[in-house]
Amino acid sequence: MDPTLKLCAFFLVLVGLVNGSFAENDFGQCESVVKRWTRTSLDEETTKEDKHMLRDLLFFLHVPRTGGRTYFHCFLKKLYPSYLECPRSYDKLRFDPSKPKCRLLVTHDDYSMTSKLPRERTSVVTILRDPVDRVFSTYEFSIEVAARFLVHPNLTSATKMALRLSSKTKGVSTLDIWPWKYLVPWMREDLFARRDARYSRGQNISESNDSYDMEDFAMPLQEYINDPVAVDVVHNGATFQVAGLTNNSYTAEAHEVRHCVQKYKTLGKYVLQVAKHYNDSCLYILQKRLDDMLYVGLTEEHRESATKFANVVGTQVISQLNAPKSSLETTDNTERSSFSNSDPDSIEHQNSTLNREGSEVTSSEGGEATESNMTVGELMDAYELCIANLRKAQSRRRIYSLKRISPVNFTKEARLQVPEEVLHEIRSLNDLDLQLYEYARVIFNKQHKTSLLINEDSWDNFSTAYGLWRVVTLAISFVFFFFIFLLIVNARRRTWKVKK
């Protein structure tokens, strides 16, 4: 063999060995990092004596695009007076959660937020959604919000306007909130680039009936899901949020752990392990953090989730508000003014002055808390009215935004046109979220069955009590009428004696 060829072959083998050794060392290092984080997280877990009892502070872990906005506006804002809401948090905690008047925290921040909260006095609630639907919704909303900037002549003008509004407004725009502060600017830049390309080509635009694959107007869904931004922020987002490992985490090693899990899928089991119990067969039976939460809802089971939330959370909040000598007393005006009224969901569309009417939340969508003596039935009635108004407002905003990139139109019917290979890719990229969602369904179904059994037991008890009450009532009635009969008989006897 030619000496040169031998040298090349030797060099290639050497490079392969070095790369293999490096990859092995890299995996080993990643495995060590993830395992160390797992052990630390498990050690930090606390077991509540009664996890289904509402604590002093309610932390709503809002996973984006799960319908959490409706719960905040149509349940929580109707239950809690505004002065009991903790100031909003978007990036890092900027308030003291130990204050007694801080009783409700609603944020997109991940579970690592609990490291800053009084854990023994905190209850956590969340809502999860089918991962494929959540990716669709995240993609659609990213484009919807970014499209509002297209009224500007160019990207520079749109960016400057966004910065000016962000510095002047007292509210909070979508661009201040995780994960939209990453996704919307990315999508905004892409939309302007595609619009400029259309203008340069004139009317030479490719035709497509698939709203998720109109590359002349918006980034195709398949391109979106494979972009590094989506990989870092969107995929397995619910798992990383519950695990406290988003790129908005308070945990120092979160970025390294997340990077390792994304790079080596086999390490994902350790992330799921953080929230799971083992049984005697060392099989995972429940996701611990979800199981320890006061409430876990499912977007797809909307009616049942809302009813359960009203019964589990709503009744306990009402009970706390009505408790004698409750710590939930009205504060003075000075303390009230220290709380921010801005809300990441109610004004998440306030990123420009382009559509004030469409971007503002109406008073009927989320006003002050209602009377503390309201019943669960009244709470559900108020919720139904509120959610109807909220959906109308959301529909108006979407129509206004998407008309700027017509013919793109995101609908349930349009989703059906997405090829199966794209759906398969989404499932593969969100494998951890799929597992997490299945555990959430187990918990939800178990809680639903428990509530049914409780209701059945309550009905049986009621039926038994009602039966006993009927017997007692009949007995009392018999004694009463028998007593009246005796009185009448005695009266007639006396009358007969007098006549005689």
Side-chain angles (χ1 to χ4, degrees):
M1 180 183 289
D2 191 312
T4 305
L5 292 176
K6 286 184 178 181
L7 183 61
C8 289
F10 174 77
F11 179 75
L12 290 174
V13 171
L14 182 62
V15 169
L17 291 173
V18 171
N19 287 338
S21 176
F22 176 78
E24 184 177 348
N25 290 336
D26 184 57
F27 176 82
Q29 182 177 357
C30 268
E31 186 177 31
S32 176
V33 167
V34 175
K35 283 184 175 181
R36 183 170 63 250
W37 170 80
T38 300
R39 288 193 297 270
T40 303
S41 298
L42 289 173
D43 290 341
E44 292 175 351
E45 291 296 317
T46 57
T47 301
K48 297 181 176 66
E49 294 181 2
D50 185 359
K51 58 193 173 186
H52 299 302
M53 182 182 73
L54 176 65
R55 305 281 166 169
D56 295 334
L57 174 62
L58 180 63
F59 171 32
F60 183 12
L61 179 65
H62 184 180
V63 178
R65 311 311 296 166
T66 58
R69 184 185 181 205
T70 61
Y71 278 71
F72 175 67
H73 280 287
C74 302
F75 272 135
L76 296 175
K77 284 185 73 68
K78 295 184 181 300
L79 288 168
Y80 284 91
S82 59
Y83 64 86
L84 293 179
E85 292 180 35
C86 306
R88 301 291 185 265
S89 176
Y90 306 105
D91 294 315
K92 295 300 173 187
L93 200 62
R94 297 189 179 91
F95 66 94
D96 181 4
S98 64
K99 287 185 177 181
K101 301 303 179 183
C102 177
R103 309 300 293 262
L104 171 65
L105 176 60
V106 181
T107 173
H108 283 210
D109 282 299
D110 63 33
Y111 196 88
S112 63
M113 165 74 84
T114 59
S115 64
K116 307 295 181 182
L117 305 177
R119 291 198 178 191
E120 291 299 327
R121 296 193 298 107
T122 301
S123 293
V124 184
V125 297
T126 195
I127 307 171
L128 295 180
R129 184 177 186 177
D130 178 89
V132 176
D133 288 337
R134 199 181 73 83
V135 170
F136 268 104
S137 185
T138 303
Y139 167 78
E140 295 164 2
F141 188 70
S142 301
I143 293 177
E144 176 190 334
V145 177
R148 295 175 194 154
F149 290 94
L150 291 175
V151 293
H152 294 276
N154 53 59
L155 178 61
T156 302
S157 172
T159 304
K160 287 182 178 179
M161 175 60 75
L163 291 173
R164 285 199 297 270
L165 287 174
S166 180
S167 62
K168 291 180 180 179
T169 182
K170 293 182 179 179
V172 179
S173 77
T174 311
L175 301 180
D176 297 319
I177 304 168
W178 183 91
W180 313 118
K181 64 181 181 179
Y182 298 106
L183 300 177
V184 172
W186 166 47
M187 200 52 53
R188 180 179 62 197
E189 183 177 347
D190 181 80
L191 288 180
F192 271 97
R194 293 177 193 273
R195 188 181 74 171
D196 293 342
R198 289 199 307 274
Y199 288 170
S200 65
R201 295 197 309 270
Q203 298 300 319
N204 186 19
I205 299 174
S206 60
E207 295 290 334
S208 174
N209 294 324
D210 185 357
S211 290
Y212 296 91
D213 189 19
M214 292 186 175
E215 59 181 358
D216 285 329
F217 296 91
M219 182 183 295
L221 176 62
Q222 188 165 24
E223 181 180 342
Y224 177 91
I225 63 176
N226 286 290
D227 192 280
V229 175
V231 172
D232 188 47
V233 179
V234 179
H235 300 316
N236 290 317
T239 298
F240 289 135
Q241 205 167 346
V242 173
L245 292 174
T246 67
N247 60 345
N248 196 41
S249 177
Y250 294 85
T251 305
E253 66 272 22
H255 174 75
E256 190 175 6
V257 175
R258 190 177 69 258
H259 171 75
C260 286
V261 171
Q262 290 168 336
K263 189 173 183 180
Y264 302 106
K265 282 195 171 186
T266 56
L267 297 179
K269 62 183 179 182
Y270 296 113
V271 175
L272 291 175
Q273 176 183 324
V274 168
K276 294 175 182 173
H277 290 301
Y278 286 97
N279 62 12
D280 293 337
S281 302
C282 293
L283 298 174
Y284 296 137
I285 58 174
L286 282 178
Q287 209 278 356
K288 187 177 186 304
R289 281 185 181 169
L290 290 185
D291 188 45
D292 286 345
M293 290 183 183
L294 175 64
Y295 163 87
V296 177
L298 300 177
T299 305
E300 288 73 22
E301 304 290 346
H302 169 73
R303 182 67 189 181
E304 290 184 13
S305 287
T307 302
K308 190 176 81 169
F309 188 90
N311 282 285
V312 174
V313 181
T315 52
Q316 295 194 63
V317 175
I318 293 171
S319 177
Q320 282 188 353
L321 289 170
N322 290 331
K325 297 181 180 180
S326 171
S327 61
L328 305 178
E329 297 174 350
T330 305
T331 55
D332 57 34
N333 293 331
T334 304
E335 185 171 358
R336 288 188 185 209
S337 64
S338 67
F339 290 90
S340 169
N341 290 322
S342 59
D343 168 53
D345 289 321
S346 66
I347 3 179
E348 68 178 358
H349 302 281
Q350 187 183 325
N351 49 26
S352 69
T353 57
L354 312 179
N355 183 24
R356 289 292 184 184
E357 181 180 358
S359 64
E360 294 175 355
V361 174
T362 64
S363 59
S364 62
E365 289 174 5
E368 188 63 40
T370 55
E371 296 82 1
S372 60
N373 60 351
M374 70 188 303
T375 65
V376 173
E378 292 170 339
L379 177 62
M380 284 300 298
D381 290 340
Y383 171 82
E384 293 294 344
L385 177 61
C386 173
I387 194 174
N389 293 328
L390 201 61
R391 284 172 174 170
K392 288 178 182 178
Q394 291 171 336
S395 177
R396 289 196 301 268
R397 281 192 292 263
R398 169 166 285 203
I399 292 172
Y400 176 86
S401 298
L402 294 184
K403 72 179 183 179
R404 304 193 176 280
I405 50 174
S406 179
V408 175
N409 185 27
F410 299 129
T411 63
K412 292 182 179 179
E413 293 72 20
R415 289 187 184 184
L416 298 176
Q417 299 182 31
V418 176
E420 178 58 36
E421 55 265 28
V422 177
L423 299 178
H424 177 75
E425 196 168 2
I426 293 174
R427 296 188 194 101
S428 177
L429 290 166
N430 291 272
D431 58 323
L432 296 179
D433 269 12
L434 286 169
Q435 295 180 63
L436 183 76
Y437 184 72
E438 286 306 312
Y439 286 117
R441 290 199 68 87
V442 170
I443 294 172
F444 182 84
N445 291 332
K446 179 181 177 182
Q447 292 176 339
H448 180 62
K449 289 179 180 178
T450 301
S451 65
L452 288 178
L453 290 174
I454 292 174
N455 290 336
E456 289 176 0
D457 290 341
S458 299
W459 174 252
D460 290 340
N461 293 335
F462 172 77
S463 299
T464 302
Y466 180 68
L468 291 173
W469 174 245
R470 287 190 63 183
V471 172
V472 172
T473 302
L474 289 173
I476 293 174
S477 299
F478 176 79
V479 172
F480 174 77
F481 284 116
F482 183 72
F483 178 73
I484 295 297
F485 174 77
L486 290 177
L487 287 176
I488 294 173
V489 170
N490 289 333
R492 286 183 175 179
R493 285 179 178 176
R494 288 174 184 171
T495 303
W496 181 75
K497 287 181 179 180
V498 171
K499 288 181 178 180
K500 189 176 179 180

